[in-house]
Amino acid sequence: MDAFSSSFLSSTFTFPSLTTRPPIAPSSLPQIPSLNISAVRIEEKQPQSLTAETSSQSSKTQVHKPPPPPPRRAALPTRNIPKKGAAEPSLPVTIFNALDDVINNFIDPPLRSSVDPRYVLSQNFAPVEELPPTECEVTDGSLPPWLDGAYIRNGPNPQFLPRGPYHLFDGDGMLHSIRISQGRAILCSRYVKTYKYTIERRAGSPILPNVFSGFNGLTASAARGALSAARILTGQFNPVNGIGLANTSLALFGGRLYALGESDLPYSLRLKPDGDIETLGRHDFDGKLVMSMTAHPKVDPETGEAFAFRYGPVPPFLTYFRFDAQGRKQPDVPIFSLTSPSFLHDFGITKKYAIFADIQIGMNPVEMVTGGSPVGIVPNKVPRLGIIPRYAKDESEMRWFNVPGFNIVHSINAWDEEDAIIMVAPNILSVEHTLERLDMIHASVEMVRIDLKTGMVTRHPLSTRNLDFAVINPGYVGKKNKYVYAAVGNPMPKISGVVKLDVSQTERKECIVGSRMYGPGCYGGEPFFVAREPDNPEAEEDDGYIVSYVHDEKSGESKFLVMDAKTPNLDIVAAVRLPRRVPYGFHGLFVRERDIKGL
């Protein structure tokens, strides 16, 4: 699963709700009392620079040579060296950090594996430092000329070593971009410079609490809530400026590129000619977006419009809205027929409707009282699908359909048929493990049909494999598609390969028609489909490439793979050796060169 972020908790508490700090593999942690650990950063030696001539311009541009192959394990953290411009910690900061240590060690220590940083941040989940634009080596095949642009993947990468509980979804957003032009590849890794990241970088220590791991039980919530309130009163941070991590995904619409996390506003980005990534800042769409928004907006490839929503713990629990082709936000449509807070991470659109899933994950006060997470399972709840006209001005035409046992976190696609709506999505069969035991999750891709005349809902599985992080050709969003490319959980959150499904098959049988497994000890991420000729209306739907980062845990080496989407074995067209490892993450996006120039 990906960073569900914190729309629930960001609204529940009046203090901010996110944080993180970078750790290391469990076997690499020093055996010392955590009270003696101060703020730490993982520092990696920067590669030596060299002057190279870019393929797109005759002027000289600074890039970097790849450093030697990375070690098998992440380097041990070293004590943080004060950054330029960082002030000495004030007395209140010192006192609050000491109180934070008391909470983390005595009131709410990381006892469960799901929040134990020694477990959560082991192997290739361990964070890395930023990497300036660095030349990569194509080791197999060649990069197709149609791959002209940048593949960017978002994911959590904690800035500071956790001194207490830490969940996989709690990390600061880091973007790993591979810029491709004329067969040449340049890798760059940069943090999204959120308000949270910036103030904590300046302070040299964490300030905001971890939302997914910091509020388990009333005592821990009260303690961290009081500490956060004290930090606000002493001016250490202002939640009005944003509390988000921007660690989940990316979106391109209205001529802007955004890093997204559903606990905050989008952060606008720019890609520089040398392959570097610049954060331009929080974007409120001329003051029309004052609260958070989903990390999974849907962009209609034909109209250029973007459709989105936000959810939270207070009414209205769901609010739907859209952006026109120029990126101008349209009025909110509050959905009051959703009568209790639900965990709505993703949704679907068709040419006529927007579809929302009211699943069994929601606010669970009972669990919180007994020391569990405030976000959990509501066992007696019947999941529902809600549909609303895509251009609705109010919720008067909202309809809800009971779909027992259908708990989706991600949506793959949806489309209209005569008097019906079709949705394809991975159904989490073991929904009770969604937040605590990701390795026990099994997601079954299903096709659901909603008959708008009779109200009958039918569904059937498309594969027995454990599949999630599925994508389609972006040109088919909101209309009937044939092919789906899904990540294989082995187990989640590790991804051992990618499969291609033909969802047009009418027979009730296994729909996998293509597969590429990465091999023993090798794991990737969400696949992304890049069409070879996106502007050609006659092009076949699967005429393109599947791209993904893949890491070899035995050698410690990461690669960028380009696979032929049309072949049964998803043949590797090109493999690029990366100058250092890329940690496992969440969602990505391919931005074409023409769009990069228009940002």
Side-chain angles (χ1 to χ4, degrees):
M1 322 314 308
D2 74 333
F4 302 136
S5 282
S6 48
S7 288
F8 276 145
L9 301 180
S10 63
S11 301
T12 304
F13 301 100
T14 57
F15 48 87
S17 57
L18 341 153
T19 303
T20 331
R21 326 135 193 199
I24 50 179
S27 57
S28 303
L29 282 171
Q31 301 301 309
I32 56 176
S34 50
L35 272 174
N36 294 331
I37 300 177
S38 62
V40 218
R41 292 185 54 80
I42 293 180
E43 303 288 351
E44 296 187 7
K45 184 178 179 181
Q46 297 294 347
Q48 299 297 317
S49 64
L50 102 115
T51 302
E53 191 169 61
T54 63
S55 56
S56 59
Q57 55 190 21
S58 58
S59 60
K60 301 290 183 179
T61 303
Q62 285 294 117
V63 295
H64 292 78
K65 287 181 179 179
R72 291 175 182 253
R73 298 174 187 247
L76 284 172
T78 56
R79 287 193 176 274
N80 186 40
I81 300 174
K83 305 297 176 186
K84 185 177 180 180
E88 286 294 321
S90 63
L91 181 59
V93 170
T94 304
I95 293 173
F96 293 151
N97 286 348
L99 292 174
D100 194 25
D101 282 333
V102 171
I103 296 171
N104 291 329
N105 287 278
F106 299 106
I107 297 177
D108 184 33
L111 301 179
R112 305 189 314 277
S113 62
S114 61
V115 294
D116 185 345
R118 297 173 301 176
Y119 175 80
V120 177
L121 289 162
S122 63
Q123 299 175 334
N124 196 43
F125 290 100
V128 295
E129 272 293 329
E130 290 190 322
L131 181 75
T134 304
E135 190 84 37
C136 304
E137 177 189 2
V138 180
T139 57
D140 298 288
S142 60
L143 291 167
W146 299 277
L147 277 182
D148 187 24
Y151 171 68
I152 315 168
R153 203 221 58 210
N154 204 344
N157 194 85
Q159 183 180 184
F160 294 101
L161 178 68
R163 295 188 296 239
Y166 173 87
H167 193 280
L168 178 63
F169 305 154
D170 280 326
D172 297 285
M174 177 173 273
L175 305 173
H176 302 276
S177 169
I178 185 161
R179 187 75 171 265
I180 301 169
S181 180
Q182 299 183 16
R184 180 188 179 205
I186 294 176
L187 179 71
C188 179
S189 301
R190 295 293 189 194
Y191 279 105
V192 182
K193 304 305 190 297
T194 63
Y195 173 69
K196 171 192 175 296
Y197 170 87
T198 303
I199 61 171
E200 292 184 340
R201 178 85 169 184
R202 187 181 303 127
S205 64
I207 293 177
L208 281 71
N210 288 335
V211 64
F212 273 98
S213 57
F215 300 97
N216 295 320
L218 290 177
T219 303
S221 299
R224 291 196 174 95
L227 181 57
S228 296
R231 289 186 187 274
I232 293 174
L233 292 174
T234 55
Q236 291 187 37
F237 75 93
N238 182 354
V240 173
N241 294 327
I243 58 176
L245 300 161
N247 68 1
T248 307
S249 64
L250 300 107
L252 175 69
F253 61 89
R256 288 179 178 268
L257 177 64
Y258 300 103
L260 303 172
E262 57 204 43
S263 57
D264 204 345
L265 306 185
Y267 275 82
S268 182
L269 307 169
R270 183 172 76 93
L271 298 181
K272 297 181 179 181
D274 65 350
D276 213 339
I277 310 167
E278 179 184 5
T279 302
L280 301 179
R282 293 172 82 225
H283 194 70
D284 64 3
F285 300 90
D286 296 322
K288 295 181 180 179
L289 184 64
V290 295
M291 298 178 68
S292 61
M293 105 174 201
T294 177
H296 289 287
K298 305 301 179 187
V299 180
D300 187 314
E302 296 175 357
T303 67
E305 299 167 292
F307 300 83
F309 68 95
R310 66 173 172 269
Y311 67 98
V314 294
F317 300 115
L318 170 63
T319 301
Y320 171 59
F321 51 90
R322 63 186 176 90
F323 304 88
D324 66 18
Q326 287 71 45
R328 295 183 293 247
K329 183 182 177 296
Q330 304 304 300
D332 286 348
V333 180
I335 310 296
F336 289 99
S337 56
L338 184 67
T339 56
S340 62
S342 184
F343 195 72
L344 290 97
H345 179 66
D346 199 355
F347 77 131
I349 63 163
T350 71
K351 294 298 181 181
K352 298 179 181 178
Y353 297 97
I355 306 103
F356 296 94
D358 179 16
I359 65 174
Q360 287 180 278
I361 303 178
M363 297 295 286
N364 196 331
V366 175
E367 282 292 318
M368 187 173 177
V369 170
T370 58
S373 170
V375 180
I377 303 304
V378 184
N380 59 351
K381 181 179 179 179
V382 177
R384 304 184 298 168
L385 288 177
I387 65 169
I388 188 171
R390 148 165 152 158
Y391 295 107
K393 297 185 182 303
D394 57 50
E395 70 162 328
S396 58
E397 296 183 70
M398 185 86 185
R399 297 176 64 186
W400 291 96
F401 303 84
N402 288 345
V403 192
F406 191 60
N407 289 287
I408 69 170
V409 173
H410 292 123
S411 168
I412 300 174
N413 198 26
W415 61 85
D416 302 299
E417 291 189 353
E418 186 177 357
D419 298 322
I421 294 174
I422 307 297
M423 173 179 257
V424 178
N427 180 24
I428 309 299
L429 302 180
S430 43
V431 67
E432 67 274 13
H433 300 306
T434 303
L435 297 178
E436 287 293 314
R437 290 296 304 274
L438 299 181
D439 57 311
M440 295 182 69
I441 286 177
H442 186 95
S444 172
V445 176
E446 296 187 16
M447 180 177 284
V448 179
R449 185 180 188 274
I450 304 173
D451 190 311
L452 299 179
K453 280 191 173 181
T454 65
M456 181 177 295
V457 179
T458 56
R459 42 190 268 247
H460 68 273
L462 300 174
S463 175
T464 59
R465 301 288 293 274
N466 184 15
L467 306 176
D468 202 341
F469 291 94
V471 299
I472 63 171
N473 182 329
Y476 286 76
V477 170
K479 64 182 184 180
K480 187 173 184 178
N481 67 291
K482 182 176 182 178
Y483 297 113
V484 168
Y485 308 91
V488 181
N490 189 33
M492 290 294 182
K494 286 190 174 182
I495 292 168
S496 58
V498 58
V499 296
K500 175 183 179 181
L501 293 87
D502 180 352
V503 300
S504 69
Q505 298 185 23
T506 56
E507 297 181 24
R508 301 295 178 89
K509 63 178 184 179
E510 179 67 60
C511 293
I512 293 177
V513 294
S515 176
R516 162 66 56 178
M517 304 308 290
Y518 299 134
C522 295
Y523 301 96
E526 175 194 63
F528 192 84
F529 180 90
V530 184
R532 192 168 67 91
E533 297 179 282
D535 300 324
N536 180 5
E538 303 300 321
E540 295 182 325
E541 181 186 333
D542 61 346
D543 186 8
Y545 307 98
I546 301 298
V547 299
S548 181
Y549 292 125
V550 175
H551 182 71
D552 187 334
E553 295 190 346
K554 295 179 181 178
S555 68
E557 184 176 87
S558 293
K559 290 186 177 182
F560 173 71
L561 294 187
V562 180
M563 295 162 273
D564 186 344
K566 290 182 70 68
T567 58
N569 296 322
L570 304 181
D571 296 337
I572 295 177
V573 175
V576 180
R577 179 184 292 122
L578 303 179
R580 69 109 184 268
R581 68 181 181 87
V582 171
Y584 304 129
F586 298 138
H587 302 285
L589 184 70
F590 187 84
V591 185
R592 297 184 182 276
E593 189 64 31
R594 67 188 181 194
D595 294 320
I596 292 175
K597 292 178 179 178
L599 294 177

